[in-house]
């Protein structure tokens, strides 16, 4: 655990203590701190932005309702991330449009449209982020979630394995396969150009925060 991780863990536990003592407004800090991570987890399972935002909102409300069950002081990030993942998977299983398999699947390499602009040209003309997000969205679910958490969120393999309920080696192999499917070294591109994909800030962050706080304040009356 890094110094920053340790600081966040301490701050999380202090916030939770205040919230459980009756300071409901302190939960807004939790929402804003974890919106980005939760959105990326949701996007790993649902490519649709609106669906992912609904998942983030539901996960925040569920986390607040279950806050007293968090044993802490460590592990809050994994705890709230797992709640997000579980809600996303429940929606996925109920969806008539999609199915989810934990077992290994036969996959085909993603092929770019031959009429489309070459990936390196897209990078050169500032379309990088949109192009990469489109490619990542096209990954099979089992690979997309892992790739987003590892390459974009920069999460440790152990943490990803815990959140997604997978073995360490499965996460490692699927991440490697995801990079092969994308045909480009996304990790290097993200590092070199300091890109941040699936950003969740501004109005979207404010809207989720406002909606969640309205629900939990109503429940607390």
């Amino acid at each position: 655990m890094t110094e920053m991780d340790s600081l966040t863990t301490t701050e999380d536990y202090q916030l939770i203590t205040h919230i459980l003592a009756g300071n409901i407004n302190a939960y807004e800090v939790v929402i804003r701190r974890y919106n980005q991570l939760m959105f990326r987890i949701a996007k790993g399972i649902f490519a649709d932005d609106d669906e992912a935002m609904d998942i983030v909102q539901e996960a925040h409300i569920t986390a607040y309702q279950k806050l007293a069950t968090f044993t802490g002081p460590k592990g809050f990030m994994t705890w709230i991330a797992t709640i997000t993942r579980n809600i996303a998977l429940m929606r996925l299983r109920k969806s008539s449009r999609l199915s989810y398999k934990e077992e290994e699947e036969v996959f085909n390499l993603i092929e770019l449209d031959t009429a489309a602009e070459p990936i390196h040209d897209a990078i050169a003309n500032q379309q990088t982020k949109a192009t990469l997000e489109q490619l990542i969205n096209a990954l099979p679910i089992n690979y997309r979630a892992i790739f987003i958490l590892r390459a974009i969120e920069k999460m440790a393999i152990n943490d990803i394995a815990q959140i997604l309920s997978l073995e360490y080696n499965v996460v490692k192999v699927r991440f490697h396969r995801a990079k092969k499917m994308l045909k480009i070294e996304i990790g290097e591109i993200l590092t070199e150009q300091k890109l941040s994909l699936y950003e969740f800030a501004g109005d979207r962050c404010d809207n989720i925060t406002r909606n969640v706080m309205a629900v939990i304040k109503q429940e607390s009356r």
Side-chain angles (χ1 to χ4, degrees):
M1 178 180 290
T2 65
E3 184 177 348
M4 180 61 69
D5 290 334
S6 179
L7 178 61
T8 302
T9 295
T10 301
E11 291 177 347
D12 284 342
Y13 195 61
Q14 290 174 343
L15 276 171
I16 292 165
T17 301
H18 287 310
I19 295 164
L20 293 176
N23 184 4
I24 298 174
N25 290 329
Y27 194 73
E28 180 173 340
V29 179
V30 175
I31 298 171
R32 293 187 181 277
R33 179 173 293 169
Y34 288 103
N35 266 345
Q36 180 76 87
L37 170 63
M38 294 165 72
F39 182 68
R40 284 173 173 165
I41 291 171
K43 286 288 289 184
I45 297 172
F46 279 93
D48 181 75
D49 275 9
D50 290 338
E51 192 82 51
M53 287 180 66
D54 286 346
I55 290 167
V56 172
Q57 183 168 313
E58 183 178 346
H60 272 306
I61 293 170
T62 301
Y64 174 79
Q65 293 169 339
K66 296 183 176 181
L67 203 57
T69 68
F70 174 68
T71 55
K74 298 179 181 180
F76 184 75
M77 180 196 74
T78 302
W79 184 79
I80 200 167
T82 302
I83 288 175
T84 308
R85 175 253 186 188
N86 289 342
I87 287 173
L89 288 183
M90 280 193 295
R91 285 187 176 226
L92 189 64
R93 293 184 183 112
K94 291 177 182 178
S95 172
S96 59
R97 296 175 288 109
L98 298 166
S99 61
Y100 179 83
K101 298 178 181 179
E102 283 290 341
E103 66 268 17
E104 289 293 331
E105 59 192 49
V106 177
F107 61 88
N108 296 316
L109 295 182
I110 295 173
E111 297 291 345
L112 292 176
D113 187 334
T114 55
E117 186 178 20
I119 183 64
H120 294 298
D121 289 344
I123 292 171
N125 68 16
Q126 304 301 312
Q127 293 180 0
T128 311
K129 289 174 68 171
T131 302
L132 294 183
E133 287 187 3
Q134 182 180 18
L135 287 169
I136 296 167
N137 286 344
L139 285 170
I141 295 168
N142 286 347
Y143 299 92
R144 185 169 69 236
I146 289 171
F147 184 82
I148 289 174
L149 292 180
R150 181 62 175 157
I152 301 172
E153 190 63 32
K154 310 298 185 185
M155 189 175 287
I157 292 178
N158 279 329
D159 291 334
I160 297 171
Q162 185 175 353
I163 291 168
L164 299 181
S165 297
L166 296 171
E167 296 294 329
Y168 178 94
N169 286 337
V170 172
V171 173
K172 193 171 181 180
V173 168
R174 289 186 183 179
F175 178 61
H176 175 72
R177 287 180 175 176
K179 290 196 293 183
K180 280 188 65 176
M181 283 188 274
L182 289 166
K183 294 186 175 181
I184 50 177
E185 292 296 328
I186 297 286
E188 293 179 9
I189 294 173
L190 293 175
T191 300
E192 291 171 4
Q193 300 199 16
K194 298 181 179 180
L195 297 175
S196 180
L197 304 184
Y198 301 112
E199 291 179 314
F200 196 84
D203 290 342
R204 293 201 295 188
C205 182
D206 291 341
N207 289 339
I208 289 292
T209 303
R210 183 168 51 250
N211 292 344
V212 172
M213 291 304 297
V215 172
I216 65 177
K217 285 180 179 179
Q218 181 65 34
E219 290 182 353
S220 301
R221 288 180 181 176

